[in-house]
Amino acid sequence: MKYIISWVLRFIPRKFIQLFAHRLIKIYSIFLRGNKVHCPVCDHSFSHFLPYGRLTPRENALCPSCLSLERHRLMYLYLKNETSFFTDKPKLLHIAPEYCFIDRFEKHLGDQYITADIESPLAKVKMDLHDIPFPDNSFDAVFCNHVLEHVKDDVRCMQEIRRVLKPTGFALCQSPQRYDLATTYEDASITDPREREIHFLQDDHLRIYGRDYGTQLENSGFNVEQVNLIEKLGLEESKRMALPLEEIIYVCRK
């Protein structure tokens, strides 16, 4: 299964995966009955999650019910446990919206929920993150996860997110990181897709962030709170939900 998923992720256009993959995976989920792992997003349990990844698929990563990955489950728990997101109705801009969240957020927020992306068929608004087509101080929350590694000018995009965020709002801007790197790695001379995949994890990534990612967000103008939710949840519970044990949540405010 992991080799099939790896091939699909590498060679099938993302827009087609977004439209059709969830149907096939949900059918396969009947073979994963059990209670060894639990997804907090859809509240389903399984014998294990599916592998996921391009070059080296991660075991126990993808929920076969809602298609949440480790980072989605971590973010959902942060919103549920540490914020008033699910008790209030914030106006939300969700950039490159993830399948596991769309229906849940839309049901909760209604017209307050705006999805946007430059190419995703799941988004309502076609938008270039370098030039967000909304006025200053428009949103109570902005979610922009695993996007900034793709864009040409990540600082400009960070500043645009900050611009449309209300003074009382917050943004979640998670990105892939290599914790063995002190500083972010970029090299515009690497143009071959297979080489970019090796250096930056995917052929459409332009950089891989290091441990300085929080500092980069601050340099764009944000006040950044770094939250280690794994410490609060405990190791045993975090493993049961297959959370990313090293990942820090960067909560960005004006």
PDB file of all heavy atoms in Angstrom, residues 233-250:
ATOM      1  N   LEU A 233      -0.276  17.061  25.965  1.00  0.00           N
ATOM      2  CA  LEU A 233      -1.098  15.866  25.768  1.00  0.00           C
ATOM      3  C   LEU A 233      -0.473  14.626  26.377  1.00  0.00           C
ATOM      4  O   LEU A 233      -1.185  13.692  26.778  1.00  0.00           O
ATOM      5  CB  LEU A 233      -1.329  15.634  24.271  1.00  0.00           C
ATOM      6  CG  LEU A 233      -2.164  16.678  23.535  1.00  0.00           C
ATOM      7  CD1 LEU A 233      -2.070  16.466  22.028  1.00  0.00           C
ATOM      8  CD2 LEU A 233      -3.626  16.600  23.980  1.00  0.00           C
ATOM      9  N   GLY A 234       0.846  14.588  26.427  1.00  0.00           N
ATOM     10  CA  GLY A 234       1.544  13.405  26.912  1.00  0.00           C
ATOM     11  C   GLY A 234       1.919  12.487  25.761  1.00  0.00           C
ATOM     12  O   GLY A 234       1.237  12.423  24.739  1.00  0.00           O
ATOM     13  N   LEU A 235       3.007  11.749  25.934  1.00  0.00           N
ATOM     14  CA  LEU A 235       3.553  10.930  24.864  1.00  0.00           C
ATOM     15  C   LEU A 235       2.628   9.778  24.474  1.00  0.00           C
ATOM     16  O   LEU A 235       2.429   9.502  23.289  1.00  0.00           O
ATOM     17  CB  LEU A 235       4.924  10.385  25.272  1.00  0.00           C
ATOM     18  CG  LEU A 235       5.715   9.676  24.172  1.00  0.00           C
ATOM     19  CD1 LEU A 235       5.967  10.606  22.996  1.00  0.00           C
ATOM     20  CD2 LEU A 235       7.042   9.159  24.745  1.00  0.00           C
ATOM     21  N   GLU A 236       2.034   9.111  25.457  1.00  0.00           N
ATOM     22  CA  GLU A 236       1.189   7.955  25.158  1.00  0.00           C
ATOM     23  C   GLU A 236      -0.037   8.361  24.334  1.00  0.00           C
ATOM     24  O   GLU A 236      -0.373   7.719  23.327  1.00  0.00           O
ATOM     25  CB  GLU A 236       0.733   7.281  26.457  1.00  0.00           C
ATOM     26  CG  GLU A 236      -0.106   6.037  26.228  1.00  0.00           C
ATOM     27  CD  GLU A 236      -0.490   5.347  27.533  1.00  0.00           C
ATOM     28  OE1 GLU A 236       0.066   5.707  28.594  1.00  0.00           O
ATOM     29  OE2 GLU A 236      -1.347   4.434  27.492  1.00  0.00           O
ATOM     30  N   GLU A 237      -0.701   9.434  24.737  1.00  0.00           N
ATOM     31  CA  GLU A 237      -1.887   9.890  24.013  1.00  0.00           C
ATOM     32  C   GLU A 237      -1.503  10.414  22.631  1.00  0.00           C
ATOM     33  O   GLU A 237      -2.240  10.208  21.655  1.00  0.00           O
ATOM     34  CB  GLU A 237      -2.594  10.984  24.816  1.00  0.00           C
ATOM     35  CG  GLU A 237      -3.928  11.439  24.253  1.00  0.00           C
ATOM     36  CD  GLU A 237      -5.027  10.382  24.351  1.00  0.00           C
ATOM     37  OE1 GLU A 237      -4.768   9.275  24.862  1.00  0.00           O
ATOM     38  OE2 GLU A 237      -6.149  10.676  23.903  1.00  0.00           O
ATOM     39  N   SER A 238      -0.359  11.072  22.537  1.00  0.00           N
ATOM     40  CA  SER A 238       0.093  11.600  21.253  1.00  0.00           C
ATOM     41  C   SER A 238       0.380  10.477  20.264  1.00  0.00           C
ATOM     42  O   SER A 238       0.065  10.579  19.074  1.00  0.00           O
ATOM     43  CB  SER A 238       1.346  12.455  21.447  1.00  0.00           C
ATOM     44  OG  SER A 238       1.059  13.584  22.259  1.00  0.00           O
ATOM     45  N   LYS A 239       0.963   9.392  20.759  1.00  0.00           N
ATOM     46  CA  LYS A 239       1.237   8.240  19.888  1.00  0.00           C
ATOM     47  C   LYS A 239      -0.055   7.543  19.476  1.00  0.00           C
ATOM     48  O   LYS A 239      -0.169   7.052  18.343  1.00  0.00           O
ATOM     49  CB  LYS A 239       2.174   7.265  20.585  1.00  0.00           C
ATOM     50  CG  LYS A 239       3.604   7.757  20.689  1.00  0.00           C
ATOM     51  CD  LYS A 239       4.510   6.715  21.340  1.00  0.00           C
ATOM     52  CE  LYS A 239       5.957   7.154  21.337  1.00  0.00           C
ATOM     53  NZ  LYS A 239       6.846   6.149  21.968  1.00  0.00           N
ATOM     54  N   ARG A 240      -1.029   7.480  20.361  1.00  0.00           N
ATOM     55  CA  ARG A 240      -2.300   6.827  20.025  1.00  0.00           C
ATOM     56  C   ARG A 240      -3.015   7.568  18.897  1.00  0.00           C
ATOM     57  O   ARG A 240      -3.724   6.950  18.085  1.00  0.00           O
ATOM     58  CB  ARG A 240      -3.202   6.772  21.265  1.00  0.00           C
ATOM     59  CG  ARG A 240      -4.469   5.935  21.079  1.00  0.00           C
ATOM     60  CD  ARG A 240      -5.245   5.810  22.372  1.00  0.00           C
ATOM     61  NE  ARG A 240      -5.980   7.006  22.688  1.00  0.00           N
ATOM     62  CZ  ARG A 240      -7.242   7.246  22.313  1.00  0.00           C
ATOM     63  NH1 ARG A 240      -7.903   6.349  21.590  1.00  0.00           N
ATOM     64  NH2 ARG A 240      -7.845   8.367  22.648  1.00  0.00           N
ATOM     65  N   MET A 241      -2.808   8.872  18.815  1.00  0.00           N
ATOM     66  CA  MET A 241      -3.415   9.659  17.744  1.00  0.00           C
ATOM     67  C   MET A 241      -2.447   9.916  16.595  1.00  0.00           C
ATOM     68  O   MET A 241      -2.766  10.639  15.662  1.00  0.00           O
ATOM     69  CB  MET A 241      -3.948  10.976  18.313  1.00  0.00           C
ATOM     70  CG  MET A 241      -5.115  10.788  19.260  1.00  0.00           C
ATOM     71  SD  MET A 241      -5.824  12.337  19.876  1.00  0.00           S
ATOM     72  CE  MET A 241      -4.578  12.809  21.084  1.00  0.00           C
ATOM     73  N   ALA A 242      -1.253   9.297  16.688  1.00  0.00           N
ATOM     74  CA  ALA A 242      -0.231   9.431  15.651  1.00  0.00           C
ATOM     75  C   ALA A 242       0.028  10.892  15.306  1.00  0.00           C
ATOM     76  O   ALA A 242      -0.101  11.325  14.159  1.00  0.00           O
ATOM     77  CB  ALA A 242      -0.607   8.633  14.405  1.00  0.00           C
ATOM     78  N   LEU A 243       0.409  11.654  16.312  1.00  0.00           N
ATOM     79  CA  LEU A 243       0.712  13.071  16.120  1.00  0.00           C
ATOM     80  C   LEU A 243       2.193  13.240  15.778  1.00  0.00           C
ATOM     81  O   LEU A 243       3.012  12.367  16.088  1.00  0.00           O
ATOM     82  CB  LEU A 243       0.378  13.855  17.394  1.00  0.00           C
ATOM     83  CG  LEU A 243      -1.050  13.744  17.911  1.00  0.00           C
ATOM     84  CD1 LEU A 243      -1.210  14.568  19.188  1.00  0.00           C
ATOM     85  CD2 LEU A 243      -2.060  14.186  16.858  1.00  0.00           C
ATOM     86  N   PRO A 244       2.581  14.353  15.169  1.00  0.00           N
ATOM     87  CA  PRO A 244       3.997  14.623  14.873  1.00  0.00           C
ATOM     88  C   PRO A 244       4.711  15.055  16.151  1.00  0.00           C
ATOM     89  O   PRO A 244       4.513  16.171  16.636  1.00  0.00           O
ATOM     90  CB  PRO A 244       3.940  15.744  13.840  1.00  0.00           C
ATOM     91  CG  PRO A 244       2.647  16.448  14.126  1.00  0.00           C
ATOM     92  CD  PRO A 244       1.695  15.408  14.653  1.00  0.00           C
ATOM     93  N   LEU A 245       5.527  14.188  16.708  1.00  0.00           N
ATOM     94  CA  LEU A 245       6.047  14.380  18.062  1.00  0.00           C
ATOM     95  C   LEU A 245       7.008  15.559  18.191  1.00  0.00           C
ATOM     96  O   LEU A 245       7.192  16.087  19.286  1.00  0.00           O
ATOM     97  CB  LEU A 245       6.727  13.091  18.541  1.00  0.00           C
ATOM     98  CG  LEU A 245       5.825  11.837  18.592  1.00  0.00           C
ATOM     99  CD1 LEU A 245       6.608  10.651  19.129  1.00  0.00           C
ATOM    100  CD2 LEU A 245       4.583  12.102  19.438  1.00  0.00           C
ATOM    101  N   GLU A 246       7.630  15.971  17.084  1.00  0.00           N
ATOM    102  CA  GLU A 246       8.583  17.082  17.154  1.00  0.00           C
ATOM    103  C   GLU A 246       7.963  18.429  16.788  1.00  0.00           C
ATOM    104  O   GLU A 246       8.559  19.468  17.029  1.00  0.00           O
ATOM    105  CB  GLU A 246       9.765  16.828  16.200  1.00  0.00           C
ATOM    106  CG  GLU A 246      10.707  15.739  16.640  1.00  0.00           C
ATOM    107  CD  GLU A 246      11.937  15.685  15.746  1.00  0.00           C
ATOM    108  OE1 GLU A 246      11.764  15.677  14.505  1.00  0.00           O
ATOM    109  OE2 GLU A 246      13.055  15.672  16.274  1.00  0.00           O
ATOM    110  N   GLU A 247       6.770  18.402  16.221  1.00  0.00           N
ATOM    111  CA  GLU A 247       6.231  19.624  15.612  1.00  0.00           C
ATOM    112  C   GLU A 247       5.775  20.644  16.650  1.00  0.00           C
ATOM    113  O   GLU A 247       5.051  20.330  17.584  1.00  0.00           O
ATOM    114  CB  GLU A 247       5.077  19.296  14.669  1.00  0.00           C
ATOM    115  CG  GLU A 247       4.548  20.517  13.928  1.00  0.00           C
ATOM    116  CD  GLU A 247       3.764  20.169  12.684  1.00  0.00           C
ATOM    117  OE1 GLU A 247       3.983  19.095  12.118  1.00  0.00           O
ATOM    118  OE2 GLU A 247       2.928  20.983  12.277  1.00  0.00           O
ATOM    119  N   ILE A 248       6.218  21.868  16.427  1.00  0.00           N
ATOM    120  CA  ILE A 248       5.794  23.017  17.220  1.00  0.00           C
ATOM    121  C   ILE A 248       4.709  23.757  16.451  1.00  0.00           C
ATOM    122  O   ILE A 248       4.788  23.914  15.234  1.00  0.00           O
ATOM    123  CB  ILE A 248       6.981  23.968  17.482  1.00  0.00           C
ATOM    124  CG1 ILE A 248       8.067  23.269  18.295  1.00  0.00           C
ATOM    125  CG2 ILE A 248       6.533  25.244  18.190  1.00  0.00           C
ATOM    126  CD1 ILE A 248       7.644  22.832  19.676  1.00  0.00           C
ATOM    127  N   ILE A 249       3.689  24.219  17.145  1.00  0.00           N
ATOM    128  CA  ILE A 249       2.636  25.024  16.523  1.00  0.00           C
ATOM    129  C   ILE A 249       3.015  26.502  16.658  1.00  0.00           C
ATOM    130  O   ILE A 249       3.282  26.985  17.756  1.00  0.00           O
ATOM    131  CB  ILE A 249       1.279  24.764  17.180  1.00  0.00           C
ATOM    132  CG1 ILE A 249       0.847  23.311  16.951  1.00  0.00           C
ATOM    133  CG2 ILE A 249       0.201  25.718  16.619  1.00  0.00           C
ATOM    134  CD1 ILE A 249      -0.408  22.930  17.683  1.00  0.00           C
ATOM    135  N   TYR A 250       3.044  27.198  15.518  1.00  0.00           N
ATOM    136  CA  TYR A 250       3.411  28.619  15.496  1.00  0.00           C
ATOM    137  C   TYR A 250       2.129  29.445  15.419  1.00  0.00           C
ATOM    138  O   TYR A 250       1.470  29.498  14.371  1.00  0.00           O
ATOM    139  CB  TYR A 250       4.318  28.910  14.313  1.00  0.00           C
ATOM    140  CG  TYR A 250       5.630  28.146  14.391  1.00  0.00           C
ATOM    141  CD1 TYR A 250       5.770  26.920  13.756  1.00  0.00           C
ATOM    142  CD2 TYR A 250       6.708  28.636  15.119  1.00  0.00           C
ATOM    143  CE1 TYR A 250       6.965  26.200  13.849  1.00  0.00           C
ATOM    144  CE2 TYR A 250       7.896  27.927  15.225  1.00  0.00           C
ATOM    145  CZ  TYR A 250       8.010  26.704  14.575  1.00  0.00           C
ATOM    146  OH  TYR A 250       9.186  26.005  14.670  1.00  0.00           O
TER     147      TYR A 250
END
